[in-house]
Amino acid sequence: MKNFLHEDFMLKSETAKILYHNYAENMPIIDYHCHINPKDIAEDKKYSNIAEIWLTCGDHYKWRAVRSNGYSEEYVTGNGSDYEKFSAWANTLPKCIGNPLYIWAHMELKRYFGYGGNLNPETADRVWNLCNEKLQNMSAKKIIKDSKVKLICTTDDPTDTLEYHKIIKDDKTFYTQVIPAFRPDKGLHIEKAGFKEYINKLSETSGIEIKDMKSLYDAYSKRLDYFVSMGCKTADNGFEAIPFILEADNSIANDALIKALNNQELHIAEIGIYKTALMLFLAEEYHKRNLVMQIHFGVSRNNSDRLFKSYGPDAGADSIGGYDCIYALSRLLNELDRKNVLPKTVLYSVNPSDNAALVALIGCFQNNDCNITPNGTGKLQHGSAWWFNDNNIGMREQLINLANNSLLANFIGMLTDSRSFLSYTRHDYFRRILCDVIGDYIENGEYPNDVAYLSQIVSNICYNNTNNYFEFGI
């Protein structure tokens, strides 16, 4: 029997141990997709207690677990005290056997607070007091620095002023780059509540009165230029179902936008046509600016009206959708590729059954028209195991699918997709799994035991491929 979280945990073979400890373990981190608030970095936020940085920051993974353990919303997003919420989490965590939350939580306790025991109802007060004492000498910037994070891409709306990115950039004592990522979802989802109000805000921010598709395009183009001037290297786009209903001109899309701005009801086809037109425009604009387009899809959003009403989005009421997006996605990519305006693209599905299909699909559109570093990375990438898949099995399946049908060595690696500054240990979790998967190929005689080349593969996936692909220049 092996001890919990021993130094070789998840590393079954000697090859895996060598690759991890000699190469992957101490590689720096690029977190190219997360939901960290740049304001917290700019102000070097400090936390008064462990619940504040762990639970009330918006970690819906933990919220779902606590609800599943029978707690009322008071102890999740409600009016319960921070201690009460922490206590609910401490009572829940021991039941998370097989859930990555159990490992992540204890990796964070060990890495940042020096606690090597188990969090449970009996140890809750000890952990509470220890963490709160340690937090007095911790801050957002210190955690980032101590975690060896070289660059962070936040997730930012086109209407954001990016004022906090300016403050961070001007801080000459802080060496981690924090750059914005363009996230235009609110303007894409024409069918959702608040769309008209959002377009009015985009008009105000861009200085362009949006009254039709042309003016909408002009507003987005202007905001993209501003984001690029602030160092933006990527644009992220989230969909439930991938839109693709192509029209010869923009007449129906234009009419749909005008109807939405006048609070008129839209038909399903009009919604799809509008989204397709706008997405094709945005993708072409990304290509012009050499931005990486990330597409996350397949999520069924806000399934609980009760939770949405009380908290809003991102409450933990999203699930895997029943959408068949691969064909529409292939048509979207093909339309861009046909016109030679397909940008570098990273594709993520929340549904694990899409893994093989996505790996097969990216192989159809690989080329080097974006002048990616030769022999570096493929133009299209299957993104890391996302959301309901970022667990031991999900990560292994994603890596093995990529290895089986594409080039694992060109993979751009892990991201946190998190709102917590303590989540950088997820990179370590991923690196252990990566080294174990590669180690298995060597131990089984499926690949030569060339440590020099294997170390290059591991180092590239952990860091170098990401740096080259996004052209971060660090």
Side-chain angles (χ1 to χ4, degrees):
M1 182 189 305
K2 298 177 181 178
N3 293 328
F4 176 59
L5 287 189
H6 61 95
E7 67 174 10
D8 292 331
F9 91 98
M10 305 184 91
L11 304 171
K12 297 189 296 293
S13 69
E14 287 304 313
T15 303
K17 294 172 187 176
I18 291 170
L19 293 177
Y20 173 75
H21 291 300
N22 292 355
Y23 305 101
E25 183 175 14
N26 293 312
M27 291 290 293
I29 289 172
I30 295 175
D31 203 30
Y32 60 89
H33 174 69
C34 73
H35 297 279
I36 290 294
N37 189 340
K39 180 176 185 288
D40 292 343
I41 304 176
E43 296 179 350
D44 199 16
K45 183 172 181 176
K46 298 190 72 171
Y47 298 86
S48 59
N49 62 64
I50 182 63
E52 190 179 351
I53 194 172
W54 237 11
L55 297 164
T56 62
C57 64
D59 190 341
H60 50 79
Y61 285 65
K62 295 187 182 76
W63 293 351
R64 288 167 65 95
V66 173
R67 291 187 191 116
S68 297
N69 200 30
Y71 282 92
S72 67
E73 201 62 24
E74 177 184 2
Y75 302 100
V76 184
T77 63
N79 295 323
S81 68
D82 285 353
Y83 176 79
E84 289 173 324
K85 291 175 180 177
F86 173 78
S87 180
W89 171 236
N91 277 272
T92 299
L93 190 58
K95 297 184 179 181
C96 291
I97 183 171
N99 191 315
L101 285 171
Y102 193 83
I103 293 178
W104 293 346
H106 286 94
M107 289 178 73
E108 291 168 14
L109 288 172
K110 189 173 184 178
R111 170 68 178 81
Y112 296 108
F113 302 101
Y115 180 73
N118 301 324
L119 175 57
N120 54 48
E122 288 72 36
T123 62
D125 283 347
R126 190 193 325 163
V127 173
W128 173 261
N129 292 327
L130 171 67
C131 292
N132 294 350
E133 179 182 351
K134 296 272 189 180
L135 281 168
Q136 301 310 304
N137 297 310
M138 295 169 66
S139 66
K141 288 182 179 178
K142 188 176 188 306
I143 294 169
I144 291 169
K145 179 181 177 182
D146 290 348
S147 302
K148 299 180 182 178
V149 182
K150 294 291 187 181
L151 185 142
I152 297 169
C153 290
T154 57
T155 301
D156 308 278
D157 190 272
T159 63
D160 288 346
T161 63
L162 307 183
E163 59 186 293
Y164 295 109
H165 291 84
K166 293 179 185 177
I167 294 171
I168 297 167
K169 187 176 182 180
D170 291 340
D171 182 356
K172 304 306 180 185
T173 67
F174 185 62
Y175 299 105
T176 300
Q177 292 186 48
V178 181
I179 60 178
F182 193 80
R183 182 77 181 236
D185 291 14
K186 291 181 180 178
L188 271 161
H189 299 308
I190 192 172
E191 79 282 12
K192 294 195 174 182
F195 175 82
K196 177 181 177 180
E197 291 75 14
Y198 176 76
I199 294 299
N200 290 337
K201 184 178 181 181
L202 181 59
S203 292
E204 181 181 348
T205 305
S206 64
I208 296 172
E209 182 185 2
I210 299 172
K211 54 187 179 181
D212 52 22
M213 291 300 286
K214 181 183 182 306
S215 51
L216 178 65
Y217 291 167
D218 290 343
Y220 269 124
S221 181
K222 187 173 181 180
R223 295 308 294 167
L224 271 167
D225 287 339
Y226 176 63
F227 269 60
V228 170
S229 76
M230 292 297 295
C232 177
K233 296 287 188 178
T234 182
D236 190 33
N237 308 269
F239 294 101
E240 295 178 8
I242 298 292
F244 192 79
I245 306 177
L246 195 63
E247 63 168 336
D249 54 36
N250 267 348
S251 59
I252 298 177
N254 196 68
D255 290 345
L257 176 59
I258 293 170
K259 287 172 70 174
L261 295 178
N262 286 282
N263 299 315
Q264 296 176 19
E265 186 176 353
L266 296 173
H267 300 298
I268 293 176
E270 291 176 306
I271 294 169
I273 289 170
Y274 167 84
K275 287 184 177 182
T276 302
L278 181 52
M279 193 62 223
L280 289 171
F281 168 80
L282 288 171
E284 186 167 350
E285 294 298 299
Y286 302 156
H287 184 269
K288 287 178 184 176
R289 295 165 177 81
N290 197 30
L291 300 182
V292 174
M293 176 171 70
Q294 300 184 60
I295 298 180
H296 290 80
F297 66 90
V299 183
S300 178
R301 299 278 184 182
N302 305 313
N303 290 279
S304 169
D305 288 341
R306 171 185 57 80
L307 275 179
F308 185 76
K309 184 177 180 180
S310 65
Y311 182 83
D314 304 316
D318 301 332
S319 66
I320 298 173
Y323 309 111
D324 182 9
C325 296
I326 301 300
Y327 179 74
L329 179 59
S330 74
R331 297 301 85 204
L332 184 71
L333 298 177
N334 182 63
E335 182 64 18
L336 295 165
D337 187 63
R338 185 179 63 81
K339 296 167 62 179
N340 293 318
V341 293
L342 177 62
K344 290 180 284 188
T345 301
V346 188
L347 302 173
Y348 313 79
S349 174
V350 77
N351 194 332
S353 65
D354 288 337
N355 279 340
L358 276 180
V359 173
L361 182 62
I362 64 173
C364 302
F365 299 101
Q366 299 287 22
N367 62 53
N368 200 20
D369 69 335
C370 292
N371 298 316
I372 303 169
T373 304
N375 300 316
T377 54
K379 176 179 174 180
L380 267 71
Q381 290 277 337
H382 183 200
S384 61
W386 173 48
W387 202 338
F388 295 106
N389 304 311
D390 58 1
N391 51 63
N392 188 2
I393 299 300
M395 288 184 182
R396 288 177 188 275
E397 289 184 349
Q398 189 268 342
L399 291 169
I400 290 168
N401 267 290
L402 188 57
N404 285 345
N405 293 294
S406 188
L407 300 180
L408 176 60
N410 285 353
F411 181 39
I412 59 173
M414 184 58 176
L415 48 85
T416 63
D417 192 29
S418 176
R419 293 166 174 79
S420 171
F421 288 102
L422 300 182
S423 293
Y424 298 117
T425 53
R426 295 184 191 179
H427 283 264
D428 184 60
Y429 181 79
F430 164 80
R431 290 172 181 185
R432 288 175 179 272
I433 294 170
L434 170 68
C435 291
D436 196 57
V437 168
I438 292 177
D440 281 348
Y441 290 128
I442 313 309
E443 297 287 331
N444 292 335
E446 298 178 63
Y447 195 88
N449 186 21
D450 182 346
V451 175
Y453 192 73
L454 292 169
S455 67
Q456 182 180 336
I457 290 175
V458 168
S459 298
N460 285 346
I461 294 173
C462 291
Y463 183 84
N464 298 324
N465 286 346
T466 307
N467 191 24
N468 290 334
Y469 184 72
F470 287 89
E471 299 181 40
F472 289 135
I474 54 176

